[in-house]
Amino acid sequence: MNISFCCKDDNAGLWMGELQAALPQALVTLWQPGAPKADMAVVWAPPQQFFDEQPELRAIFNVGAGVDALMKLRLPAQALVVRLDDAGMAVQMAEYVCHAVVRHMRHFAAYEADAQLGRWQRRLAPDRSTFPVGVMGLGVLGERVVRALQSFEFPVLGWSRTPKVLTGLDCYAGLAALPHFLARCRVLVCLLPLTPETQGILNRETLGQLQRGAYLINVARGGHLVEDDLLPLLASGQLAGTTLDVFNTEPLPPEHPFWRHPQIRVTPHISAGTLPGKSIAQIVDKIGALTRGEPIAGIVDRQRGY
Ligand code: NAP
Ligand code: GLV
């Protein structure tokens, strides 16, 4: 079996070494233009040329949960596209989101500012029963985030494309239910895949339907947020603040107004990092299952886009 590796990653050597060690019967090579044809690929943000030169792939393993970049390319029709299923990302996402929610609700940013001034001042946190957190996207990551939020006793509601039944969660599904879901949220967490249906879904109209003074956490993709709508929503008080981990342009340019805005907290797309060990173990298991003709989880529905 030939596996072609094509990832923009400084640790390509480490990834390939671990893959090769776990699959001694395979030949793992770093792709370069003109490379021999492979039957499996392990990729992150590959160029179109990669797929143009690899028409015989049986499976494409995406080294990440989100496949939006892959879905923009022309892929070999017969190839299965397989995304990472958790692989250590879900718990990171849960801690990131809980940190952002708790930091906002318990006024930790204000305490950090007070500390600079040596000011001893207690601030009242709202009753958490009045602090509903809505999670858009109830997939592998969204569901883990929901469970983490519930452990802190926040009322949690969720929104997905198809109806779900999850313990202790008020679930909404589909576009028709979106305004009802939004109207209840004091915090909104976006964990949707970026598809033609979800592009720009966080905008003046939808964010305007949240409770006044709501807080937005976008940990999915920059393309979900209409960035030009954000500053007016903050200025009007409709949004109290936001934590953004993802942006339309990454890296976020140094001169971008979001960096220094007092109500915007920026992190550089780190809410859930890909862990090489767990990711390689998952990919190796799935290659084994496919080789034996067994079913695997995480196959992307190309029609749906996730
Ligand atoms: P997933 O398992 O595919 O779950 C996606 C969820 O979104 C599902 O519940 C799905 O509904 C819902 N959804 C999709 N399209 C929708 C629509 N049009 N309307 C309403 N709901 C819709 O994905 P995941 O593994 O949880 O990951 C989610 C996203 O997180 C990824 O696509 C990626 O962009 C992002 N991510 C970011 C980072 C980071 O570091 N910032 C790290 C990893 C992932 P159904 O359940 O009905 O199908
Ligand atoms: C990271 O953003 C991922 O999609 O895994």
Side-chain angles (χ1 to χ4, degrees), residues 65-68 83-84 89 93 137-142 159-164 174 191-195 197-198 219-221 224 245-246 269-273 304 306:
V67 291
D68 43 293
R83 43 67 58 92
L84 281 182
M89 283 187 279
M93 198 54 100
L138 299 173
V140 175
L141 303 184
W159 184 69
S160 53
R161 195 176 57 85
T162 56
K164 299 256 172 305
L191 264 169
L192 294 166
L194 186 62
T195 66
E197 283 74 44
T198 64
V219 277
R221 285 290 183 266
H224 289 120
D245 185 49
V246 286
H269 200 141
I270 47 74
S271 49
R304 232 173 37 168
Y306 69 98

